[in-house]
Amino acid sequence: MTSEPKAPSALAAPRPPVGLLPKLIFGSRWLQLPLYVGLIVAQAVYVLLFLKELWHLVLHSFDASEQQIMLVVLGLIDVVMISNLLIMVIVGGYETFVSRLNLSGHPDEPEWLGHVNASVLKIKLAMAIIGISSISLLRTFIEAGNLGTNRSNFTESGVMWQVLIHMTFIISAIGIAWVDRLSESGHRKAAGHD
């Protein structure tokens, strides 16, 4: 059985030379590398903070009240959520704005990394900020029983401002998602898919 020779594939047209200014502008994305390395250092600081708080929780677990333990645990959750936010910014931002990580097929590749772009990253960041704000607000509500006493870390107006800021985060996230959806449907219509 003879195999037929394959037709030669069309050769790719040579690219026109790129000028110095476009190379400089495109290469300037690498200026962000120290920023992402700095965020990795900040991540390490959060790991140390988490371990310190966890150590204090273990040491004082027998002499602390349930409310105090709950507040420390919420603080630990807050640190983890901020750390997750850092990872999203570091990995997603680097992949989107600096260079590809080439993790395809790696068993630990995050699921969301395969379809990350600036729009997806904005929505994920907004949701993470809402989660962090929710934990902070929950801690405030737990301590709200002490409002008006010397043991309170908050005032009534402080609690009100936290709620308003949290609502602003939620409305902003809804706005970002809505604008993204409008933009996406506009792109589909322009491409003739709808």
Side-chain angles (χ1 to χ4, degrees):
M1 179 178 245
T2 60
S3 61
E4 294 180 23
K6 294 182 180 178
S9 60
L11 297 175
R15 293 183 190 167
V18 178
L20 181 61
L21 184 59
K23 281 183 183 178
L24 178 67
I25 291 170
F26 185 64
S28 70
R29 73 193 191 281
W30 287 102
L31 290 173
Q32 291 188 0
L33 183 61
L35 304 178
Y36 291 111
V37 171
L39 288 178
I40 292 169
V41 172
Q43 177 86 347
V45 170
Y46 263 99
V47 168
L48 292 175
L49 174 66
F50 182 89
L51 293 174
K52 179 183 138 192
E53 291 298 317
L54 183 61
W55 179 251
H56 286 178
L57 176 64
V58 170
L59 284 180
H60 302 290
S61 61
F62 292 110
D63 57 328
S65 70
E66 181 183 355
Q67 183 177 1
Q68 290 170 326
I69 291 173
M70 189 183 320
L71 289 172
V72 172
V73 169
L74 285 174
L76 292 174
I77 293 170
D78 201 25
V79 170
V80 169
M81 292 185 79
I82 291 171
S83 185
N84 290 343
L85 177 64
L86 279 169
I87 288 296
M88 279 192 283
V89 171
I90 293 166
V91 175
Y94 183 87
E95 173 90 8
T96 302
F97 300 111
V98 179
S99 182
R100 299 229 181 265
L101 292 171
N102 295 323
L103 295 176
S104 295
H106 192 282
D108 294 330
E109 179 185 7
E111 174 191 312
W112 54 270
L113 192 57
H115 54 272
V116 71
N117 59 35
S119 180
V120 169
L121 197 55
K122 279 188 296 188
I123 293 172
K124 286 196 173 294
L125 292 176
M127 296 308 295
I129 290 169
I130 289 170
I132 292 165
S133 175
S134 297
I135 295 296
S136 179
L137 197 55
L138 182 57
R139 286 171 54 190
T140 300
F141 287 160
I142 289 171
E143 291 188 43
N146 295 328
L147 279 178
T149 68
N150 291 340
R151 296 182 343 199
S152 177
N153 294 327
F154 305 100
T155 62
E156 288 180 17
S157 64
V159 172
M160 179 197 66
W161 279 110
Q162 275 191 309
V163 170
L164 289 174
I165 291 168
H166 181 72
M167 293 305 296
T168 302
F169 288 151
I170 291 172
I171 291 168
S172 297
I174 291 169
I176 289 169
W178 184 65
V179 167
D180 185 57
R181 185 176 174 102
L182 287 177
S183 173
E184 186 179 299
S185 69
H187 289 301
R188 279 187 289 178
K189 285 182 182 177
H193 294 296
D194 277 340

